Amino acid sequence: MTRPFFSKDRISHFELFGRHADVAIKLLRERTRSGFAVDIQDLVSRFTLDSATEFLFGHCVHILSAGLPYPTSAVETLNISTDALVSDPASRFSEAFANAQMNGASRSRYGSLWPLFEFWKDKTEDDMKIMEAFVNPIIQEAIAKRRFEPKKVSMKKEVAEGETLLDHLLDYSEGTP
């Protein structure tokens, strides 16, 4: 179902990626001009999350607009409050997503025995709640839009121009018995 969204034709829509790259570069310039280090991995992760969510779901999470975290030394030196960045919903989503990925990677190391290492508590449960709280409104909005559109049930493999993965999945799931 997802393969058509990763074809050469779809991924070559550079306008969307260019827009997010411009924001990322602007943030990088601003931070380096202020004389502080930038965690490039964090910046690229934020760029990827914004680009991928808009590309696949038609709804950007705007994690870049939350700003970049300062290095620990700057937070202490400048007495900067990190509360706004931490409480931003997109930042919370990004952190939960990263945590869930790390826990998933840990599970793969243990193979089929991973449940024994999480006997008392599922390590992904809290992160999944944060991600679901962020993603569910996006899905509900897409479903609500469908109610006002004519039904177009399809099990097609082709992707229409401008169609997102979320649109495609909704078409596909409406067509399944």
Side-chain angles (χ1 to χ4, degrees):
M1 289 188 307
T2 62
R3 178 175 282 162
F5 288 89
F6 297 99
S7 70
K8 182 179 175 185
D9 295 338
R10 295 284 294 186
I11 293 179
S12 62
H13 294 161
F14 293 111
E15 184 269 326
L16 176 143
F17 298 106
R19 225 175 336 104
H20 293 293
D22 290 343
V23 173
I25 291 168
K26 179 182 174 213
L27 288 172
L28 178 64
R29 283 186 181 142
E30 288 172 358
R31 184 56 57 82
T32 54
R33 283 185 185 140
S34 67
F36 295 105
V38 175
D39 181 348
I40 296 296
Q41 185 173 349
D42 179 76
L43 178 65
V44 170
S45 173
R46 290 167 186 269
F47 163 78
T48 302
L49 198 54
D50 276 357
S51 300
T53 54
E54 185 171 353
F55 174 71
L56 296 172
F57 303 118
H59 190 281
C60 177
V61 294
H62 298 290
I63 186 68
L64 284 168
S65 66
L68 299 177
Y70 281 91
T72 307
S73 60
V75 172
E76 295 167 359
T77 305
L78 298 175
N79 198 20
I80 298 170
S81 172
T82 57
D83 294 343
L85 189 61
V86 172
S87 66
D88 178 73
S91 293
R92 290 181 61 226
F93 173 84
S94 177
E95 184 176 337
F97 187 78
N99 290 341
Q101 283 183 310
M102 291 299 290
N103 286 321
S106 293
R107 287 176 175 180
S108 68
R109 283 195 314 258
Y110 300 124
S112 61
L113 298 176
W114 75 262
L116 296 175
F117 293 91
E118 296 183 28
F119 184 76
W120 300 110
K121 178 160 175 45
D122 180 344
K123 290 182 181 179
T124 62
E125 184 177 8
D126 294 337
D127 295 319
M128 291 303 295
K129 286 179 184 176
I130 291 169
M131 290 188 297
E132 287 172 3
F134 194 87
V135 171
N136 281 344
I138 297 169
I139 295 169
Q140 294 306 319
E141 181 183 331
I143 291 170
K145 283 182 186 176
R146 295 291 192 159
R147 291 190 182 127
F148 300 109
E149 292 179 1
K151 277 264 199 230
K152 55 176 187 178
V153 175
S154 168
M155 301 296 262
K156 63 184 177 171
K157 289 186 178 183
E158 308 84 37
V159 177
E161 183 66 33
E163 184 178 31
T164 66
L165 175 64
L166 183 56
D167 295 330
H168 190 69
L169 291 174
L170 286 173
D171 283 346
Y172 193 85
S173 63
E174 289 174 353
T176 55

